[in-house]
Amino acid sequence: MTDKTGGSAFPMLGSVAYNSDWSIDPGMTLRDYFAAKAMASVPLALDSNEQQLIANAAYAQADAMLRTREK
């Protein structure tokens, strides 16, 4: 892993405009992708405190997944 985000999850090479230089859109990070997947099975939070707890737990799970990939 090159950084704590795991790098780009879905990088894309695309053209800015017709007949112009190419650009790279890095897309979302692998960490964000893992966190989103971790949240998929979590029930909807009712208040902002629950939402924050769920988001923190999802990123903790994503960080654990990234650490496991390094092994």
Side-chain angles (χ1 to χ4, degrees):
M1 180 171 62
T2 58
D3 60 24
K4 76 176 223 168
T5 67
S8 296
F10 306 107
M12 295 181 62
L13 181 63
S15 177
V16 176
Y18 178 73
N19 217 8
S20 68
D21 292 337
W22 290 93
S23 69
I24 294 177
D25 180 357
M28 71 179 355
T29 67
L30 194 54
R31 182 175 186 253
D32 288 334
Y33 179 72
F34 283 165
K37 288 294 190 175
M39 290 182 65
S41 65
V42 177
L44 184 62
L46 299 178
D47 63 37
S48 62
N49 289 334
E50 286 179 344
Q51 292 168 352
Q52 191 63 52
L53 287 171
I54 291 169
N56 289 340
Y59 274 103
Q61 183 67 39
D63 291 340
M65 293 169 76
L66 289 170
R67 283 191 303 274
T68 299
R69 290 181 82 231
E70 291 178 346
K71 295 179 181 180

